[in-house]
Amino acid sequence: MSDEIQRASQTVLSEADLDSSLFRAAVEQADIAVSITDAAANVLYVNPAFTRVTGYCAADALGRNQSILSSRTTPKDVYQAMWAAITQHESWSGRLPNRRKDGSRYLADLTITPVIDAEGRTTHYLGLHRDVTALHELECAVRNQKTLIESVVDGAPVVMALLDMDDVVILDNHEYKKLMGDLGMIEPAGILLEAVRNELGTGFGPFRAGSHAFLDRQVRIDRPHWRNARWFSCSGVWVGAARDDADAFYSESGRAYLLVVAKDITRQIIEQEKARVAAMHAVMLEEGRVQTLRESLQAAVYQMEGPLNVLASVVNLLGRRGCDPAQAALADALKAGQLAVETLRSAIPSVASEHPSSVNVNELMRDVLDLSARHFLSAGIEVHWQPQLVLPGIQGYPNRLRAMFKSLVDNAVEAMNVKGWRNRELVITSRTVGQDVAVLIEDSGPGLAPELRLKAFEPFFSTKKGEGSHLGTGLTAAQQVIADHGGTIEITDGAQKGCLVRVTLPVVH
Ligand code: FAD
């Protein structure tokens, strides 16, 4: 035996050393109501704490059944379960509404343990109980308060969610669940927080219980297909709570949570949007007319420059041969022609100046789809709009970008809108790819041969020359707008037969 164990065994009393008087003194002085009964629950012993709790002194209780404590409100099946357990040599614990000697009521937290003799018979029962009325009242108050708070939170007409520091939702309300259903069971908190983080860039405000992590940030959620976008005004409030694990019992440290509150402001925004869309419509119409004029004049200049260059070479040649009169006449004609070209060039309207701002590509695409809705309908085109729910904003020129996307969508529509073409589907997708926002426009038209995919970006190249007003400058202009935004455009094969136009625009440019 080691020295340590030997020393310990000397200080610990053996069972034989513990005489019954010590047991008795310990039970007498215990601060818990103790009773010992026979097998029929008739009281044989009670300690002073029992008297303090019940009002019954030993003389009152001895010989009487423990049922003297019953308040007569406990359901029968509770007693049946109690007796079923203790008669099968098991302990039973539970709460019973009891009545003191003076008739007053209290809630007892009771444990009954059978005392079993050497033959395995239950000879006695040991009852231990405490008055837990105050604790119960406290528990009820907490439960009631929780129910009240939950009903207030649930009834609030705003989306609410409490998140831990890993962005896991701990608590949410009815509006939150409704929004989740609306988004196809995607957790709305993640979407809202991602959008706010994207917008803030610098992260949330530092943790201070009760302070705002962010305040009134507007978030646009684009739902798939033709469903209207929804807008929310989002705020985040830091919440501090005490830790409930045993290790933290003596610790001051707490847990941090983020309460996200999102108010649906779709209605207000739609009102503002109506005015914006009407203004945008007018701008696009005017811009379209100017663009057509610009392209026509550019085409005229381009077409006149060819013969004038030939004329210039002839004038040069004649000059060298010394044919003066003819050379002079041609030189005059050349001058007049060059002057006419210059006049035309100066008449080309310049591109309207625009200030760069934060642009939501989903919003632009949605504008384009709304503007083209009639066009889709008349051409019998089925449109699948698959936006990423929330896209980060890019810096750019909204009107130029919108016109550019419109021209790409118009190209796709025209590719499919040919006599006899049956499959007419347009799939438009937006998504974040690394640091870029990508828009994919895929049609089910006849497609573009690989050798023409680069040529298509050359000025005045068109596979539809001679049909309508096709000058072949749309893709050239689109490429310019995209390049001005630091992005790229490419044409590849679509999943079906048609073209897939892929535009990427960097988030930070
Ligand atoms: P009872 O007729 O006494 O019992 C109700 C049901 O319990 C019966 O239908 C029967 O199925 C079962 N039952 C009763 N006695 C026995 C038995 N001896 N063997 C098998 N089944 C039986 N009750 C309280 O309300 N408050 C207390 O604080 C409390 N403390 C107790 C402490 C101890 C140590 C023990 C052993 C019992 C205690 N009881 C207590 C239970 C009490 O003895 C009664 O069973 C209970 O109060 C119901 O009384 P009653 O007169 O309404 O019905």
Side-chain angles (χ1 to χ4, degrees):
M1 195 188 288
S2 75
D3 288 352
E4 210 175 303
I5 296 175
Q6 227 168 1
R7 265 198 313 278
S9 68
Q10 278 160 10
T11 54
V12 174
L13 293 171
S14 74
E15 230 175 89
D17 298 329
L18 279 171
D19 63 20
S20 56
S21 63
L22 178 55
F23 273 110
R24 190 172 183 98
V27 174
E28 286 279 312
Q29 289 165 39
D31 193 24
I32 183 166
V34 179
S35 60
I36 298 173
T37 71
D38 62 15
N42 297 313
V43 178
L44 303 176
Y45 167 81
V46 295
N47 74 346
F50 184 96
T51 307
R52 282 200 298 277
V53 173
T54 66
Y56 288 104
C57 64
D60 295 330
L62 294 188
R64 298 174 72 182
N65 193 281
Q66 282 271 175
S67 62
I68 51 168
L69 295 180
S70 172
S71 67
R72 304 289 155 197
T73 55
T74 305
K76 264 203 157 53
D77 54 349
V78 174
Y79 290 131
Q80 276 164 3
M82 169 204 287
W83 280 105
I86 63 178
T87 50
Q88 282 170 34
H89 297 183
E90 284 168 19
S91 281
W92 178 90
S93 293
R95 287 185 174 183
L96 296 176
N98 271 0
R99 193 174 51 182
R100 296 191 184 87
K101 187 182 173 188
D102 63 8
S104 61
R105 312 296 161 108
Y106 70 98
L107 190 74
D109 189 41
L110 170 68
T111 297
I112 304 174
T113 309
V115 181
I116 296 150
D117 68 9
E119 271 81 49
R121 282 183 310 237
T122 302
T123 56
H124 300 85
Y125 290 110
L126 169 69
L128 303 173
H129 85 264
R130 279 177 203 287
D131 178 352
V132 290
T133 316
L135 181 67
H136 174 70
E137 279 169 6
L138 203 65
E139 285 170 359
C140 282
V142 170
R143 252 199 316 272
N144 289 343
Q145 205 164 13
K146 186 168 172 275
T147 311
L148 285 177
I149 291 171
E150 273 172 5
S151 56
V152 169
V153 168
D154 253 348
V158 289
V159 170
M160 280 186 183
L162 187 70
L163 279 73
D164 68 11
M165 288 298 94
D166 297 320
D167 284 358
V168 175
V169 177
I170 307 292
L171 272 177
D172 56 20
N173 73 342
H174 187 61
E175 283 297 314
Y176 183 89
K177 291 188 184 80
K178 256 172 60 185
L179 179 58
M180 188 154 156
D182 189 42
L183 300 180
M185 299 319 279
I186 296 173
E187 197 74 70
I191 291 170
L192 296 173
L193 285 187
E194 192 192 329
V196 174
R197 281 195 180 109
N198 275 335
E199 202 199 321
L200 288 176
T202 50
F204 299 156
F207 173 80
R208 199 159 35 85
S211 71
H212 277 108
F214 52 90
L215 184 65
D216 291 338
R217 310 308 302 199
Q218 194 169 308
V219 174
R220 175 189 169 113
I221 299 183
D222 281 272
R223 298 176 298 167
H225 314 301
W226 283 96
R227 294 163 72 210
N228 283 331
R230 290 181 72 178
W231 284 263
F232 291 89
S233 171
C234 297
S235 298
V237 178
W238 291 119
V239 177
R243 277 170 54 186
D244 53 9
D245 51 311
D247 279 349
F249 190 71
Y250 287 113
S251 148
E252 295 278 288
S253 69
R255 273 189 223 285
Y257 295 95
L258 182 65
L259 175 68
V260 177
V261 180
K263 191 166 170 245
D264 191 336
I265 50 167
T266 308
R267 253 203 216 157
Q268 293 98 298
I269 297 283
I270 282 178
E271 282 308 310
Q272 295 167 13
E273 276 288 283
K274 273 186 197 156
R276 187 191 68 83
V277 168
M280 183 261 301
H281 228 283
V283 168
M284 290 282 287
L285 266 174
E286 183 53 26
E287 184 53 32
R289 273 196 287 271
V290 173
Q291 178 68 15
T292 312
L293 180 64
R294 194 182 298 127
E295 285 176 11
S296 308
L297 289 173
Q298 276 166 346
V301 168
Y302 179 75
Q303 276 162 5
M304 283 173 73
E305 272 172 341
L308 279 178
N309 286 342
V310 175
L311 198 57
S313 322
V314 174
V315 169
N316 256 345
L317 202 68
L318 290 177
R320 258 184 265 134
R321 283 193 198 153
C323 315
D324 275 346
Q327 192 250 4
L330 284 177
D332 284 349
L334 178 62
K335 225 183 210 164
Q338 281 167 338
L339 204 66
V341 165
E342 272 323 299
T343 312
L344 270 184
R345 213 193 296 277
S346 62
I348 296 175
S350 55
V351 177
S353 73
E354 195 184 1
H355 290 294
S357 58
S358 174
V359 179
N360 183 318
V361 173
N362 272 347
E363 186 180 319
L364 290 189
M365 236 22 254
R366 187 62 207 240
D367 285 347
V368 169
L369 296 180
D370 287 342
L371 283 169
S372 310
R374 240 191 242 167
H375 203 172
F376 296 144
L377 212 62
S378 63
I381 289 170
E382 200 180 314
V383 181
H384 303 278
W385 168 223
Q386 298 170 339
Q388 179 169 296
L389 287 175
V390 171
L391 266 193
I394 64 162
Q395 275 296 312
Y397 302 94
N399 289 337
R400 292 182 68 198
L401 285 170
R402 191 184 297 106
M404 179 274 293
F405 281 124
K406 173 100 170 49
S407 76
L408 297 181
V409 167
D410 287 348
N411 280 353
V413 171
E414 279 174 29
M416 294 181 282
N417 195 16
V418 284
K419 220 172 171 194
W421 198 264
R422 281 167 176 261
N423 192 7
R424 295 177 179 213
E425 260 182 64
L426 183 60
V427 183
I428 302 177
T429 315
S430 71
R431 66 168 94 111
T432 314
V433 181
Q435 292 301 304
D436 295 333
V437 164
V439 176
L440 312 179
I441 302 171
E442 185 179 352
D443 64 62
S444 61
L448 195 60
E451 64 276 14
L452 298 181
R453 286 179 195 162
L454 278 179
K455 263 188 108 44
F457 291 101
E458 287 175 11
F460 305 109
F461 171 85
S462 173
T463 55
K464 297 194 170 185
K465 277 265 164 69
E467 288 176 40
S469 58
H470 291 285
L471 294 168
T473 55
L475 278 177
T476 320
Q479 194 177 36
Q480 187 58 53
V481 172
I482 293 163
D484 290 348
H485 286 81
T488 60
I489 178 170
E490 60 169 345
I491 301 178
T492 55
D493 282 330
Q496 304 190 45
K497 230 180 152 191
C499 282
L500 169 64
V501 179
R502 181 192 174 88
V503 175
T504 58
L505 296 163
V507 173
V508 183
H509 173 49

